[in-house]
Every structure is written in structure tokens, then in C-alpha cells.
């Protein structure tokens, strides 16, 4: 039982940077960034390949850089070349498939055999005992989360937030919205790639299909988190991304254990939850309106 | 201050929706001019403002602002020297960000030397508070509240403050009191003239109110069909009555109609 709990937390924290990235792109910038699936695998592939070559720490930074580049391409397509934002993400994502294969030496998977990972290195320091993996990931994620909260309070961070709130106002404040979108998507995809890098080194392998549907799962995490923590300040948003990720893994573990839902159906269930959660405000409005119409009809 | 030479703009050229909204328009404003602009719906007043602010590039002609040729400068670069208010109070502010954050965004226009990674400083906050107090709406006590909670008039007052917190070389007011109730409109107008006079900002103001067009500022333009058809100042303007202006307005509209008839027949 403790073991399950431990794995749940470890996975929850490792994947937490994805809902955090989506908080930046989907909530702050108001852009549905479909580069996410590909950036995740990109981070994973780069991280595992470099760790296998003996550079586990540099691997994390390289993964983030590559993720940022992927975000840059998506941003370039939508800000400079007029590609609709969703399509820009899909196009980059498709291209990334080949890039990811290449990053793994033209193979559909890569593994770390006996080489060190950040996790084995940290364990050898003797801190945290059996919780050392969780501890290391938690420290990294906490640092990233703190950096994001700090960033959103800076002048640049403010203009990023305005981009999603009232884009005309950004150019009226002498800032190019194309620039803020680019910065935002670079950061978001760097975070997604870092998540992939952590997961990859933790399971000592990367797989070309590891990212399929991860954007929807990430959104589910974000929405679950926002339901638990309620929406509000930027700090609260960052917190809900992390809480949501852990909660999602928890639900996943319960489903796996009790088999309430066959595990093969989990993606479908996730998709339905996300669709419902995003559609909820509209559904509620429609219902209220129908009720009014019916009431008016009765009254005559 | 502002010199516009022969600018033209055609929307959707070569399609059935082709619309020539500015036809070789020229205009010169001196520093400190406060010019009111009237004209019927679709005359091209907002389009002229869009051209000056850089929402699109003109097809022909030149625009110079304070000696600098801005014809091919993108809108966000022009916004350093141009402040703007729209009829819709929602357009100028970010609803989910606080009053303070909105003001700091507007204040970015000044901070060319400051690092993008710096936070809002204490001095900035003190400045925002001081300026908010001048509005006399009590907004200085609500600086942490999201702007979405403010009424239209309060939002327009805030937008006015944002547009002028870094003194612009040119202020463009596009029917900025038209969506407000008479009392609030009066208040916004008073604030506008007060701020404009205090910093001697060159100002262009679109209005559909003929008496406002004559009582405010030192010069009045009338636009029709992408042209300036009337440009009066000084003695001539002082002598013009509201009825006279309204008469000329109607005449202009009738002439346009007649022209259309000739074209159509
Ligand atoms: N982006 C655009 N695309 C196509 N046509 C446009 C565009 N902007 C303006 N127009 C057209 O240009 C003409 C002038 O419009 P404009 O908004 O400048 O009028 P206006 O003088 O501001 O009128 P109002 O008093 O109603 O605000 C109109 O016929 C309008 O349909
Ligand atoms: Mg207009």
C-alpha cells in the first residue's frame, strides 16, 4: 500500500510540470498548445540519450532547451506566418515525431543501461532513503514552480498575462504580442520537456509513443487541481497544476487497484472528463436558459 | 506635431467588399492642438485613427509624428507616443488583472531602460496611487481588485489614466464617452480636458455631439467619405453656431447621397 502511495506521488510530481505548462499556455496565454505531446517525448528522448552517454544533469538542461525550441517553432508559425494556433501546434507535433526518432538514434525507444541518472546520483548522497526519488523530483518541481510564480510578477510576466486577457492592450503598452506569445510557448514547452526528461530518467527508458494524449491528461490534471484549489491568483494556479497532477495519479491508482473502470478505458474516461469540465460553463448556461423558457411557457 | 500627407486605404481590394475608407487625406496638427472630429457613420473617422495608430499600414501617403516618419512603424512601437481610448470601455483594460497590474502594463511604455524581469517598484505603486487619487473615484483604495469588477465609467476613467500615465505625444479619443450615462460622460470629459491641458497633449477627439465639437478644443474637422470636408479654427469657428454646423453636416450627407444616386443611375 505504501509502495503504491509512493509511486503515485512520484508520478504525480514528475508529470506535474505538464499541467503547469498548460496553465501557462491554456490559461495565461489562452492558447491551446498541441505541441505538448511531442515536446514531452522530445524531452524524454534527449534526456535518456544524453544520460546514456553519461551526462544526466546536462541532459535536463538540454531537454528544456529542445522543448523551448519546439515551442519557438509553434510560436513562429502562428505569430509570423499566420498559421492558426491549434494547427501550428499539430504541425510542429507531427514534425517532432521524426525529430524524436532521430534523438533516439533512429529507434522507437532508448534505454539507460548501467549509466548514472540524476536519481541514482542523488540516492548515492544518502539523503531521503527510500523517498529520495520523490524528494529530488519534488525539489526540482518546487524550484520551477517558484520561478514561474516569480516570473509572472515581472514586467514581462505581466505582459504575458495581458496577452491572454486583452491582446490589444499589449500592443497599446508598446509590447509586441508576437513576442509575448513566443516567450510563453517557449517556457511552456521547456517545462513539458523537463517533465519528459524526469520521467525518462526515472524509468530509464524513452518511447516514441510515451506522449500520446498527454495534453488531454495534462488538462484533466489542471482542471482537477482548479476544482480542488479554486481559481484565483497566479500562485494558486501554479499550485493547482501540481495538486491536480498528484490527484490525477491518485485516481489512476485507485482505478488500477479496484478496476471500477477497465484500465483500457482510462483514456476515454479522461477525455470525457476534460470535455465535460471545459463544456461545463456553457452547459450550465443552456440549462438555466431552458429552465427560464419552460417557466415562462407555464406562466403563459 | 502630426503631419499626414495624402494617405489612402482600401479594404478588401479587388473583391465585392472593396471599400475605399480613406481617399488621399492630408492633415497637419500643431503641438498642443485639441481637434474635434465629426462626420456621419462610416465617414472614415475611426479608420483615420487606426491609420495613425498603426493598426494597418496605409496604401499610400506618409505619416510623420513629431518629426519621425512612422508610416511603416508597427502599432506597438507607435504606442510609445500615442495614447488611445475607444467607445467601448472594455477595450482598453485587461479584466482579470488588478488595477495596479493594468497601470503597470501601461507604464511599461516609459520603462525602456528597465529590465523586463524587474517587478513593480514601490515608487511605481506610489505614483499609481497618486494618479488614481486625482480621478476622485476612490480607485486608489481598490488597487488589488480585478478591473473586471469596475463599472464602465470607472473603467473608462482608468483607461484614460493608463493612456496618459506616460504623457503621449498624441492622444486619440474615439467617441470615448458615447457608451456612458450623461453624468459619467461629463465626468470623463472633464478629466480628459483637465489631463490634456495639464500636460499640453496634442489631441484628436471624435464625437457625434455637435455642441461638444465646437465648445471643446481649438479646431474642428468634418469628415465624409474618407475626406476632410471642413476644417475650421479661430474666428471662423467661434462664429459658427451649433445649428450651422449641424446644417453643414446634413448638407454633406445629402451631397453624398446625391453622388451615390448619380453613380447608380
Ligand atoms: N477592417 C475593415 N475592413 C473592411 N472595411 C472596413 C474596416 N474598417 C472600416 N471599414 C469600412 O470603412 C468605412 C469607414 O469606417 P469607420 O469605422 O472609419 O467609420 P467611422 O467614421 O468611424 O463611423 P462611426 O461614426 O460609425 O464610428 C466603413 O464603410 C467601414 O465599413
Ligand atoms: Mg468609428
Amino acid at each position: 500500500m505504501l509502495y503504491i502511495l509512493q509511486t503515485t506521488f512520484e508520478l504525480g510530481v514528475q508529470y506535474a510540470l505538464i499541467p503547469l505548462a498548460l496553465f501557462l499556455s491554456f490559461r495565461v496565454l489562452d492558447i491551446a498548445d498541441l505541441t505538448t505531446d511531442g515536446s514531452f517525448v522530445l524531452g524524454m528522448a534527449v534526456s535518456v540519450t544524453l544520460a546514456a552517454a553519461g551526462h544526466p544533469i546536462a541532459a535536463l538542461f538540454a531537454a528544456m532547451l529542445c522543448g523551448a525550441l519546439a515551442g519557438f517553432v509553434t510560436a513562429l508559425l502562428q505569430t509570423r506566418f499566420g498559421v492558426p494556433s491549434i494547427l501550428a501546434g499539430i504541425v510542429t507535433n507531427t514534425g517532432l515525431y521524426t525529430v524524436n526518432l532521430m534523438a533516439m538514434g533512429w529507434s522507437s525507444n532508448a534505454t539507460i543501461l548501467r549509466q548514472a541518472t540524476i536519481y541514482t546520483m542523488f540516492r548515492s548522497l544518502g539523503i531521503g532513503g527510500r523517498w529520495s526519488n520523490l524528494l529530488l523530483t519534488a525539489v526540482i518541481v518546487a524550484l520551477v514552480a517558484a520561478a514561474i510564480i516569480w516570473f509572472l510578477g515581472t514586467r514581462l510576466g505581466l505582459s504575458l498575462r495581458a496577452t491572454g486577457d486583452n491582446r490589444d492592450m499589449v500592443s497599446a503598452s508598446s509590447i509586441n504580442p508576437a513576442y509575448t506569445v513566443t516567450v510563453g510557448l517557449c517556457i511552456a514547452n521547456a517545462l513539458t520537456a523537463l517533465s519528459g526528461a524526469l520521467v525518462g530518467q526515472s524509468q530509464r527508458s524513452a518511447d516514441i509513443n510515451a506522449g500520446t494524449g498527454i495534453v488531454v491528461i495534462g488538462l484533466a490534471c489542471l482542471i482537477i487541481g482548479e476544482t480542488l484549489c479554486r481559481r484565483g491568483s497566479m500562485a494558486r494556479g501554479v499550485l493547482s497544476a501540481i495538486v491536480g497532477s498528484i490527484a490525477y495519479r491518485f485516481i489512476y491508482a485507485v482505478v488500477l487497484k479496484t478496476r471500477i473502470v477497465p484500465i483500457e478505458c482510462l483514456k476515454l474516461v479522461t477525455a470525457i472528463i476534460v470535455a465535460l469540465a471545459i463544456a461545463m460553463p456553457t452547459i450550465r448556461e443552456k440549462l438555466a436558459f431552458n429552465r427560464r423558457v419552460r417557466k415562462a411557457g407555464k406562466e403563459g | 506635431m502630426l503631419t499626414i500627407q495624402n494617405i489612402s486605404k482600401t479594404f478588401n481590394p479587388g473583391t465585392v467588399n472593396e471599400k475605399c475608407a480613406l481617399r488621399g487625406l492630408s492633415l497637419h496638427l500643431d503641438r498642443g492642438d485639441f481637434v474635434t472630429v465629426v462626420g456621419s457613420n462610416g465617414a472614415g473617422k475611426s479608420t483615420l485613427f487606426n491609420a495613425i495608430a498603426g493598426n494597418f499600414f496605409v496604401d499610400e501617403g506618409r505619416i510623420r509624428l513629431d518629426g519621425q516618419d512612422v508610416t511603416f512603424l508597427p502599432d506597438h512601437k507607435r504606442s510609445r507616443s500615442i495614447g488611445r481610448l475607444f467607445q467601448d470601455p472594455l477595450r482598453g483594460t485587461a479584466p482579470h488583472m488588478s488595477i495596479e497590474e493594468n497601470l503597470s502594463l501601461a507604464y511599461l511604455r516609459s520603462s525602456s531602460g528597465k529590465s523586463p524581469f524587474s517587478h513593480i517598484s514601490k515608487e511605481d505603486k506610489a505614483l499609481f496611487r497618486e494618479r488614481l487619487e486625482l480621478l476622485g473615484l476612490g480607485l486608489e483604495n481598490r488597487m488589488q481588485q480585478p478591473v473586471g469588477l469596475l463599472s464602465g465609467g470607472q473603467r473608462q476613467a482608468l483607461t484614460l489614466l493608463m493612456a496618459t500615465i506616460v504623457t503621449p505625444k498624441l492622444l486619440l479619443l474615439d467617441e470615448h464617452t458615447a457608451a456612458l450615462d450623461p453624468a459619467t460622460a461629463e465626468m470623463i470629459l472633464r478629466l480628459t480636458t483637465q489631463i490634456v491641458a495639464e500636460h499640453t497633449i496634442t489631441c484628436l477627439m471624435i464625437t457625434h455631439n455637435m455642441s461638444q465639437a465646437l465648445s471643446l478644443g481649438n479646431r474642428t474637422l468634418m469628415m465624409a467619405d474618407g475626406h476632410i470636408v471642413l476644417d475650421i479654427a479661430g474666428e471662423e469657428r467661434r462664429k459658427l453656431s451649433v445649428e450651422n454646423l449641424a446644417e453643414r453636416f446634413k448638407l454633406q450627407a445629402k451631397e453624398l447621397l446625391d453622388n451615390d444616386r448619380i453613380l447608380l443611375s
Side-chain angles (χ1 to χ4, degrees):
Chain A
M1 189 62 213
L2 186 65
Y3 175 74
I4 295 177
L5 210 64
Q6 184 181 353
T7 333
T8 304
F9 268 101
E10 267 171 31
L11 287 175
V13 180
Q14 276 168 8
Y15 282 93
L17 295 176
I18 298 171
L20 185 54
L22 292 173
F23 171 71
L24 278 183
S25 55
F26 191 65
R27 287 284 185 242
V28 174
L29 285 179
D30 198 19
I31 291 173
D33 178 21
L34 298 186
T35 326
T36 307
D37 288 9
S39 314
F40 180 79
V41 180
L42 179 63
M44 200 178 214
V46 168
S47 163
V48 167
T49 307
L50 276 182
H55 307 288
I57 297 177
L60 298 187
F61 292 99
M64 286 178 78
L65 188 69
C66 292
L69 271 176
F72 182 77
V73 172
T74 303
L76 196 71
L77 288 175
Q78 55 180 285
T79 56
R80 305 281 175 202
F81 298 110
V83 182
S85 73
I86 293 203
L87 197 56
I90 296 175
V91 167
T92 312
N93 194 27
T94 306
L96 278 178
Y97 191 87
T98 306
V99 176
N100 292 342
L101 284 177
M102 190 171 70
M104 294 187 284
W106 298 110
S107 151
S108 63
N109 52 57
T111 45
I112 305 171
L113 296 172
R114 225 159 279 145
Q115 296 85 348
T117 65
I118 50 162
Y119 293 106
T120 61
M121 288 168 78
F122 188 71
R123 184 164 307 149
S124 69
L125 295 179
I127 307 169
R130 62 173 295 190
W131 300 93
S132 80
N133 277 13
L134 177 58
L135 186 66
L136 178 59
T137 323
V139 168
I140 295 175
V141 171
L143 283 178
V144 171
I148 294 295
I149 293 174
W150 172 84
F151 171 72
L152 287 172
T154 62
R155 288 167 206 277
L156 183 56
L158 282 182
S159 23
L160 238 71
R161 292 174 52 195
T163 310
D165 212 7
N166 181 352
R167 200 175 282 210
D168 286 346
M169 209 189 116
V170 180
S171 27
S173 325
S174 77
I175 313 268
N176 189 351
Y179 171 67
T180 52
V181 166
T182 307
V183 170
L185 289 184
C186 285
I187 297 178
N189 283 288
L191 295 187
T192 306
L194 178 58
S195 175
L198 294 175
V199 173
Q201 289 204 27
S202 158
Q203 61 191 30
R204 299 184 145 267
S205 67
D207 184 280
I208 192 74
N209 294 318
T212 313
I214 212 124
V215 65
V216 179
I217 295 177
L219 276 179
C221 296
L222 184 60
I223 292 167
I224 293 171
E226 284 173 347
T227 316
L228 292 176
C229 306
R230 285 220 219 91
R231 285 168 77 175
S233 67
M234 290 292 116
R236 197 178 273 254
V238 169
L239 183 73
S240 35
I242 297 170
V243 169
S245 180
I246 296 170
Y248 178 86
R249 291 293 149 184
F250 208 79
I251 298 169
Y252 188 92
V254 169
V255 169
L256 205 62
K257 192 88 186 136
T258 58
R259 307 222 163 243
I260 312 173
V261 189
I263 207 72
E264 299 79 23
C265 300
L266 205 71
K267 278 223 164 116
L268 179 62
V269 173
T270 308
I272 293 173
I273 290 175
V274 169
L276 273 180
I278 296 180
M280 201 39 94
T282 315
I283 295 175
R284 224 178 266 147
E285 222 167 81
K286 284 244 165 71
L287 286 179
F289 180 73
N290 286 348
R291 225 174 288 134
R292 259 187 61 200
V293 171
R294 238 177 291 130
K295 201 165 152 233
K298 264 184 213 150
E299 283 167 5
Chain B
M1 172 54 72
L2 175 73
T3 308
I4 296 175
Q5 287 169 329
N6 252 322
I7 55 166
S8 298
K9 177 70 190 178
T10 305
F11 291 110
N12 310 313
T15 69
V16 281
N17 291 325
E18 183 170 302
K19 169 78 202 173
C20 186
L22 294 175
R23 305 169 188 265
L25 184 146
S26 297
L27 175 67
H28 176 84
L29 301 191
D30 287 321
R31 188 178 302 271
D33 265 351
F34 189 138
V35 180
T36 56
V37 184
V38 295
S40 51
N41 295 127
K45 305 179 297 295
S46 300
T47 306
L48 172 64
F49 277 21
N50 285 336
I52 297 172
N55 292 47
F56 54 74
F57 297 114
V58 290
D59 301 334
E60 278 168 57
R62 289 270 168 199
I63 302 173
R64 301 175 71 85
L65 184 63
D66 199 22
Q68 188 197 5
D69 190 331
V70 297
T71 316
F72 300 111
L73 211 60
D75 56 353
H76 65 271
K77 291 205 173 134
R78 292 190 209 183
S79 73
R80 272 199 191 285
S81 28
I82 299 179
R84 192 170 186 191
L85 265 74
F86 298 94
Q87 179 175 350
D88 181 0
L90 306 185
R91 269 184 80 172
T93 45
H96 295 102
M97 297 172 72
S98 68
I99 294 181
E100 182 179 283
E101 286 164 344
N102 270 277
L103 282 166
S104 1
L105 269 171
Y107 200 51
L108 286 177
R109 307 205 334 269
S110 78
S111 49
S112 45
K114 286 184 195 145
S115 151
F117 296 108
S118 58
H119 283 67
I120 315 169
S121 66
K122 282 232 171 61
E123 298 86 75
D124 293 353
K125 284 186 192 177
L127 174 81
F128 299 160
R129 174 173 289 275
E130 194 181 295
R131 293 297 195 86
L132 281 168
E133 274 168 11
L134 292 181
L135 296 183
L137 296 173
L139 293 183
E140 64 276 9
N141 302 320
R142 304 171 64 180
M143 282 173 54
Q144 305 304 330
Q145 283 184 14
V147 167
L149 297 181
L150 302 183
S151 73
Q154 290 169 329
R155 267 178 95 158
Q156 199 68 318
L158 179 64
T159 313
L160 177 65
L161 186 56
M162 286 166 63
T164 52
I165 192 149
V166 177
T167 308
K169 290 175 180 162
L170 180 67
L171 184 62
L172 301 175
L173 306 169
D174 191 342
E175 301 180 43
H176 71 304
T177 59
L180 309 174
D181 71 67
T184 314
E186 176 90 11
M187 183 263 297
I188 295 290
L189 211 56
R190 188 171 39 76
L191 287 171
T192 308
T193 45
Q194 184 185 320
I195 292 176
V196 166
E198 192 177 330
H199 303 278
T200 42
I201 302 170
T202 313
C203 184
L204 269 168
M205 180 176 113
I206 298 175
T207 176
H208 284 299
N209 181 327
M210 295 298 144
S211 81
Q212 228 174 52
L214 288 179
S215 61
L216 286 172
N218 60 337
R219 184 173 163 192
T220 300
L221 303 177
M222 186 184 291
M223 280 188 73
D225 196 27
H227 298 281
I228 293 173
V229 292
L230 181 74
D231 181 352
I232 47 169
E235 195 57 31
E236 191 190 356
R237 182 170 184 261
R238 231 165 289 138
K239 280 189 194 146
L240 195 69
S241 68
V242 175
E243 290 73 34
N244 262 328
L245 185 65
E247 194 54 41
R248 289 184 107 145
F249 193 97
K250 276 185 209 140
L251 243 120
Q252 202 57 53
K254 188 172 168 294
E255 204 168 286
L256 270 181
L257 255 170
D258 289 346
N259 280 344
D260 279 355
R261 282 207 195 103
I262 293 165
L263 279 177
L264 288 174
S265 60

